[in-house]
Amino acid sequence: MESEEYTKHYIVTALFKLMHAYEYEKIKVTDIAQKAGVGRATFYRYFKGKEDVITYYFEHRTREFVFGQRIYPRCKEDYVKVVSDVFGVFEANKEPFQLLKRAHLSDLYLNFLNKNFSEMFAEEHPDKNPYLPYLYAGMLYNVSMQWLENDCKEDIQTLAALIVDAIY
Amino acid sequence: MESEEYTKHYIVTALFKLMHAYEYEKIKVTDIAQKAGVGRATFYRYFKGKEDVITYYFEHRTREFVFGQRIYPRCKEDYVKVVSDVFGVFEANKEPFQLLKRAHLSDLYLNFLNKNFSEMFAEEHPDKNPYLPYLYAGMLYNVSMQWLENDCKEDIQTLAALIVDAIY
DNA sequence: TATTCTATGATACACTTGTCTCGCGGGAAA
DNA sequence: TTTCCCGCGAGACAAGTGTATCATAGAATA
C-alpha cells in the first residue's frame, strides 16, 4: 500500500509526461490514471479533475516563483533590475508556465504579481495611486505570456528595455 | 427560417441570461439551447462549445465600440482618448464583464484586447517592437479588472490620466 | 405553381466525466 | 497467527459532450 503522497505524485508526473506528448484538452482522466498506474477512481479520490492536478502542482512550488529581493525601484537602473528579475524567474520556470497557460490557469500568476507589487508599493509609497501596481503587474504579465508564446526566444535585456523605456 | 445571425444572437443572449441565475460551470449546452429556443444540434452548428459563445460575444458586440474610430494615438490627447474609450466600453458593459469574471473567463477579454491592439499597431507601425501592443493591452486589462473589483467607482478621467501619465 | 435550397429539430451514437458501490489484499494491531 | 483496517482496482451508472444522419418546413427561385 503506497502512501497517499506518493500516489498523488505519480498522478501529477503522469499528467506532466502526457502533456509533453499530447495537447492538454486531448488528455483524458483515464489516460492519466493508466500512465500513473492507478485506477480512475483513485484519481478522483485525490483530485477533482485535471485542472485540480495543475493547481496542486503550483500550490506546492509557488514559493519558487518569488523573485529574489524586493527592491523598490528608485532610478532607471532599479527598474531594469526589477523587471529583469521578474522575466528571469519566468524564464527559469518556462515549462511550468507553459502548462499553466495551456490549462487556462495563467491568472494564478497574475494574482501573484498583483499581490507582490501591491505590497511593494504600499510599503514604499502609501500615497501613490493604488492602481499603479496593477498597471505594472498587468503589462509584465501580458508581455511575459506573449514572450512564452514565442518560446522566450528574445533575450531578457531586450524585453526589460522595452518595458522601462515605455514607462520611463 | 431565421437568419444565421439571429440564431447566434439568441444563443448568446440565452447564455448571458442563464449566467445571471446560475454558475457558469453548471450551465449545460442543453440549457442554453432550450433557453434560446433552438435545438442542441443547432447550437453546435454555430459554436464549438460554451466558451466559444463568449468569444463570439466579444468579437461582435464590443468591436464596434472600442475600435470603431481606430485612431492611432499620435499625441498625449490621442492617448487619453483611446484609453478613455477602452474604459468607457468596459464600464458600459460592466455587468457582462462581472459575469465573465465570475466564470473565470476574463482572459478572453485580454485576448480580444491583444488581437485588436496588435492589428492597430501592425497597420500603423510595422517596425515597432511587436511586444508594445501587449504591454498596453496588459496594463489596460489588469487595471480594468481591478477597477471592476472596486465596482468602477473611480471616474474614467482619473484612470485614463494614471495610465497616460505612466507611459508618457 | 412547381422546384430547389437550406436552416432546423429530432434522434441516435460513441465517448468522457464524476459518483458510487463492492470486494480484494497487504500491513498493522491483537 | 488471526483479526481488523483501509487504500485500492474494478466496474456499474447517470449525465453531459460532440458528431453524424435524416426528414421537414418554408423561403427563394424558376
Side-chain angles (χ1 to χ4, degrees), chain B residues 4 11 17 28-30 33 39 45-46 51 54-55 69 77 81 91 98-99 107 124 127 138 140 147:
Chain B
E4 301 190 1
I11 291 172
K17 276 181 196 164
K28 308 304 172 189
V29 171
T30 307
R45 190 171 301 119
Y46 291 117
E51 201 163 300
I54 310 282
T55 306
Q69 55 275 46
E77 285 67 36
K81 190 159 168 42
E91 192 181 34
Q98 271 163 342
L99 298 181
D107 63 320
E124 199 71 24
D127 52 315
L140 281 175
W147 188 38

Side-chain angles (χ1 to χ4, degrees), chain A residues 117-137:
Chain A
F117 275 104
S118 291
E119 287 172 2
M120 196 159 92
F121 276 70
E123 284 168 14
E124 200 71 22
H125 282 293
D127 52 315
K128 278 221 171 155
N129 190 314
Y131 284 101
L132 201 54
Y134 302 121
L135 185 152
Y136 290 132

Side-chain angles (χ1 to χ4, degrees), chain A residues 72 113-123 125-138, chain B residues 139 142-150 153-155 158-159 161-163 166:
Chain A
Y72 182 87
L113 287 179
N114 280 334
K115 186 160 163 284
N116 278 277
F117 275 104
S118 291
E119 287 172 2
M120 196 159 92
F121 276 70
E123 284 168 14
H125 282 293
D127 52 315
K128 278 221 171 155
N129 190 314
Y131 284 101
L132 201 54
Y134 302 121
L135 185 152
Y136 290 132
Chain B
M139 65 188 201
N142 200 33
V143 170
S144 295
M145 285 302 160
Q146 294 297 329
W147 188 38
L148 190 66
E149 200 77 14
N150 258 4
K153 75 163 199 276
E154 290 89 354
D155 76 354
T158 314
L159 284 186
L162 164 73
I163 301 276

